[in-house]
Amino acid sequence: MNYKQTIYTGLLLISSALIGSPVMGIVTTTDNPVPESPVCYQLHSHPDGGIRPPLYGMRLDELYDVTTGHDHFTFDFDGNGASMYMVESAGELRIFGHAFGGHDVGSTYTTDNDYVGQVKIDFTYNSGLRTCVNDDDLCIDTDNNSNAGSITPYFRSESTFHNSISLEDERGNHSYSFRLGDEDNDNGHRRFDGISGWGWLNHSGEDHVYSTDWLFTAEIIACDNVCFDDIDGDGYVDQACGGPDCDDNNADVHLGNFDGMQFGGYAAARVITHEQGLKKDQSPVDANRSDPQQALTHTDGGPLGSFYSMGFGGSLEVIFDCPVQNQAGFDLQINEVTYGDGDYPSEDVEVSAWDEINEEWVLIGNAVNNEANPVGFNYLDLGALSSVTRIRLVDMSDSTPHNANADGFDVGGIFALHDCGTCDDVDNNCDGEVNEQAGDHDQDGASNCADNCPVVANELQSDRDEDGTGDACDICPDDGAKLAAGICGCGISDVDSDNDQVPDCIDDCDGDSAKTEGGTCGCGIADTDSDQDGIVDCIDNCPSVANQEQIDSNDDGFGDACTVAEEDSKEGFDGDDTESANNNGGNLGTVGGDGLKAFGCTLGQSADETPYMGWMIIMLTLSLAIFRKQGQE
């Protein structure tokens, strides 16, 4: 039977091997095979993987740089919670689903939960599909990186990020980048008597890493049995696929977890107050690191997305809309994601939680970023506190070993690790009830979904300033703009008009970003000392020439150091000039002494002579003109 001329390669091979007869109704060409209807497969780990055990269907070595050696990462298509599928349709081959795996240490996976767990895989070949040369297998014949997809780890360190890592196909020196079938002459791939899928991959936008590839087996199944992962696009897997989404037609319904995945993890809602420190060299922290809102969570681009630099000695207070719950395991996660290398000095913050009942801050631990914790994910427990809404961070980093540009602990996310009671008025677990598990933490009769102070009992729900936070939880109950006193206190905004990191309430120069107090010259005028004589320019009678004594012999407001020197004056007006001037303009006095030295003479400048100064200057000018004319004759 000539399979290449009658049916689509992948479907025929599986049909022949597993069903025993060809599946009709599919018309293909050898250049671009296109089935008339989707063909669906269940995928499994290949029995002849290069690292055994565990078996795998995908291998992505060096996905993370865990050790100094070559790190193996494999993913089992039959492991815990795995459900991997492949669908051929309209010249497209899509491989998708969930697998279990991670850092493969040779006989099993690592016990480090930061590098093992569930992963989501989604890869599509839509370029270069053809039947293989001299065989009826399906080949993907393209240049490198022509087809793409992603893998999304749900390891512990990824639990709140769910960062997707890019995947591309790799052809290299091979005649194809991917192949589906049973090898030439139906001999089976790597001793498997059935249909296999194998090919090479690149990840993370990097060059090809040795042994980064697909290696799985495939069996045809009815497409009705395929889990299409996330129909409503809410980021949560359909319950039929082993995921938490009990109603995958409603994007608002997704509560729950499945083994190996931690969907708990919501960020702090907003910043209450912050006081940013300075760099080691005492200069302000760079503007692109000074938005405290960036401390709440990451942005696109992964852990190295935006963050907030606290500055040495800085502080930050945030609030959660839904209380952080004290449950089994760690309760809070603080991220510092800018760690450099093994020589980079440690940075750390003290983390405290507000005890609403005793009205005091309780230290719950430290978050650090150092060689022992280079990833920068810090996990803390609430200790004796049952739940909290406010968290405070205070930078305790030692600036001594840092360079001059260092700016303290960089906060890149503050997360609660347990599921919060839902208050979305949606039946999230399909049990007929809305706002499941909301509870009443303070047992004041108001559900957490409606309680304006869910951690302190306040039956009356009083909220004098109508800011949505009950008076029992509001340090500024009469200030609708503030929940905490901040630097300026309740009723006074902590606004910083000139963006100099000092609020207006304590900034005497709130319109001058260079000054916080008037100094000698006042706001808006720099206290510059250009000649470095210890007297600032704004009161220096000769700001360009050092003259600490500030001598001004003629009291004209210009220091003697800046007036034309006597000797310079004499160069243009010697003794003969004086005599001629006297003969032509009257007795103007002798050269030198007090007076208008710029003219090389004195005017006596007594109280009686002062009214005649203007006439005397005119006479002097005329005399000089006559003198020069006579000299020319």
Side-chain angles (χ1 to χ4, degrees):
M1 181 179 294
N2 188 337
Y3 295 147
K4 291 181 290 187
Q5 298 176 353
T6 58
I7 65 173
Y8 181 47
T9 302
L11 178 60
L12 174 63
L13 291 171
I14 294 178
S15 300
S16 299
L18 303 180
I19 301 176
S21 62
V23 176
M24 305 306 293
I26 297 177
V27 179
T28 72
T29 67
T30 58
D31 293 329
N32 188 24
V34 180
E36 291 183 350
S37 58
V39 183
C40 302
Y41 308 87
Q42 178 86 49
L43 306 183
H44 305 279
S45 296
H46 199 283
D48 191 37
I51 301 177
R52 295 178 295 161
L55 301 178
Y56 66 86
M58 170 188 272
R59 180 171 170 180
L60 299 175
D61 284 9
E62 292 292 303
L63 185 65
Y64 292 93
D65 190 13
V66 183
T67 69
T68 57
H70 186 89
D71 295 309
H72 305 289
F73 277 82
T74 63
F75 301 96
D76 186 355
F77 286 7
D78 299 296
N80 181 25
S83 53
M84 287 296 299
Y85 303 94
M86 181 169 62
V87 176
E88 297 171 324
S89 61
E92 179 180 280
L93 184 70
R94 181 187 176 200
I95 302 171
F96 63 96
H98 289 82
F100 182 87
H103 189 201
D104 192 323
V105 294
S107 60
T108 185
Y109 294 113
T110 179
T111 57
D112 184 353
N113 289 333
D114 282 346
Y115 298 106
V116 65
Q118 294 279 347
V119 295
K120 176 181 176 180
I121 299 169
D122 196 345
F123 194 98
T124 299
Y125 291 99
N126 52 22
S127 176
L129 278 73
R130 64 170 178 81
T131 50
C132 300
V133 177
N134 299 323
D135 195 75
D136 51 8
D137 286 359
L138 171 66
C139 285
I140 308 295
D141 182 8
T142 60
D143 295 331
N144 293 343
N145 304 323
S146 297
N147 298 286
S150 64
I151 181 171
T152 305
Y154 290 93
F155 306 155
R156 185 177 68 183
S157 60
E158 298 285 345
S159 61
T160 54
F161 290 114
H162 298 181
N163 289 323
S164 295
I165 300 172
S166 64
L167 300 174
E168 296 85 25
D169 58 344
E170 164 74 17
R171 178 175 177 176
N173 297 323
H174 306 282
S175 60
Y176 52 84
S177 63
F178 178 81
R179 183 166 176 168
L180 177 68
D182 57 3
E183 284 281 12
D184 295 346
N185 302 318
D186 303 335
N187 289 327
H189 182 63
R190 296 179 68 159
R191 296 174 296 280
F192 177 70
D193 186 17
I195 303 305
S196 300
W198 68 98
W200 299 271
L201 293 166
N202 298 320
H203 64 73
S204 310
E206 303 292 338
D207 293 336
H208 183 66
V209 177
Y210 177 75
S211 293
T212 297
D213 53 26
W214 301 107
L215 182 60
F216 55 77
T217 65
E219 62 173 323
I220 192 170
I221 61 173
C223 288
D224 291 343
N225 295 328
V226 174
C227 171
F228 284 90
D229 188 37
D230 182 16
I231 295 173
D232 59 10
D234 62 3
Y236 294 83
V237 180
D238 189 351
Q239 195 172 63
C241 300
D245 200 336
C246 60
D247 182 356
D248 214 37
N249 293 315
N250 184 342
D252 293 326
V253 178
H254 49 64
L255 183 68
N257 297 325
F258 64 91
D259 292 342
M261 297 183 69
Q262 185 178 22
F263 288 106
Y266 50 95
R270 56 194 175 278
V271 175
I272 296 180
T273 185
H274 69 101
E275 185 173 355
Q276 191 174 39
L278 299 173
K279 293 183 180 180
K280 181 179 178 178
D281 65 4
Q282 297 302 298
S283 65
V285 176
D286 295 347
N288 63 352
R289 295 170 170 235
S290 298
D291 181 0
Q293 299 302 318
Q294 294 183 159
L296 301 180
T297 185
H298 75 295
T299 60
D300 291 342
L304 293 179
S306 60
F307 53 84
Y308 170 70
S309 295
M310 296 188 63
F312 290 103
S315 63
L316 175 74
E317 183 182 343
V318 301
I319 190 169
F320 287 83
D321 281 340
C322 194
V324 182
Q325 303 299 315
N326 190 341
Q327 298 181 14
F330 294 114
D331 308 310
L332 188 71
Q333 178 175 331
I334 309 291
N335 296 342
E336 208 287 12
V337 295
T338 59
Y339 181 73
D341 53 35
D343 296 326
Y344 193 79
S346 175
E347 296 171 332
D348 67 279
V349 291
E350 281 187 352
V351 183
S352 301
W354 179 251
D355 183 347
E356 299 281 0
I357 297 176
N358 296 309
E359 297 187 347
E360 62 182 7
W361 288 104
V362 177
L363 179 66
I364 60 174
N366 284 64
V368 301
N369 196 11
N370 54 27
E371 189 172 4
N373 184 28
V375 178
F377 298 108
N378 297 270
Y379 301 94
L380 299 98
D381 192 275
L382 292 183
L385 299 173
S386 60
S387 62
V388 299
T389 58
R390 292 165 56 196
I391 297 294
R392 184 178 68 183
L393 278 61
V394 178
D395 182 84
M396 304 298 292
S397 304
D398 179 8
S399 65
T400 304
H402 287 269
N403 61 43
N405 198 47
D407 53 14
F409 194 90
D410 300 324
V411 190
I414 304 174
F415 301 96
L417 294 179
H418 303 296
D419 285 339
C420 180
T422 56
C423 299
D424 55 8
D425 294 323
V426 173
D427 180 9
N428 288 287
N429 59 9
C430 307
D431 65 354
E433 300 291 334
V434 299
N435 299 334
E436 299 93 347
Q437 303 175 5
D440 179 8
H441 295 296
D442 54 14
Q443 298 183 3
D444 61 0
S447 165
N448 290 327
C449 295
D451 197 336
N452 63 18
C453 182
V455 293
V456 177
N458 59 333
E459 295 181 4
L460 298 179
Q461 297 287 289
S462 174
D463 180 13
R464 294 200 300 270
D465 56 15
E466 299 181 347
D467 61 357
T469 299
D471 296 344
C473 287
D474 194 341
I475 294 177
C476 297
D478 295 306
D479 183 349
K482 302 178 77 172
L483 296 177
I487 296 176
C488 299
C490 298
I492 303 175
S493 172
D494 287 336
V495 66
D496 177 15
S497 300
D498 53 15
N499 297 314
D500 61 356
Q501 309 301 317
V502 178
D504 294 356
C505 67
I506 58 173
D507 189 344
D508 291 340
C509 297
D510 54 22
D512 183 350
S513 62
K515 303 178 76 172
T516 58
E517 56 184 23
T520 302
C521 298
C523 299
I525 303 175
D527 289 336
T528 304
D529 181 10
S530 300
D531 54 14
Q532 300 183 8
D533 59 0
I535 301 171
V536 294
D537 294 355
C538 67
I539 61 171
D540 193 339
N541 64 15
C542 184
S544 61
V545 179
N547 62 333
Q548 191 172 16
E549 295 81 6
Q550 297 286 288
I551 297 174
D552 180 10
S553 301
N554 60 2
D555 296 325
D556 63 355
F558 298 95
D560 291 0
C562 282
T563 306
V564 177
E566 181 177 344
E567 292 299 323
D568 291 339
S569 300
K570 287 182 179 180
E571 289 179 4
F573 195 55
D574 57 20
D576 294 336
D577 295 332
T578 303
E579 183 178 356
S580 298
N582 289 335
N583 292 334
N584 289 281
N587 184 7
L588 300 181
T590 60
V591 176
D594 295 333
L596 296 177
K597 294 183 180 179
F599 289 88
C601 64
T602 65
L603 299 179
Q605 240 179 338
S606 67
D608 294 335
E609 294 173 328
T610 301
Y612 305 103
M613 184 179 296
W615 288 106
M616 295 176 71
I617 292 173
I618 295 173
M619 293 170 64
L620 174 61
T621 304
L622 292 172
S623 298
L624 288 173
I626 294 170
F627 168 74
R628 288 179 178 135
K629 183 175 182 181
Q630 290 175 347
Q632 292 174 355
E633 293 176 351

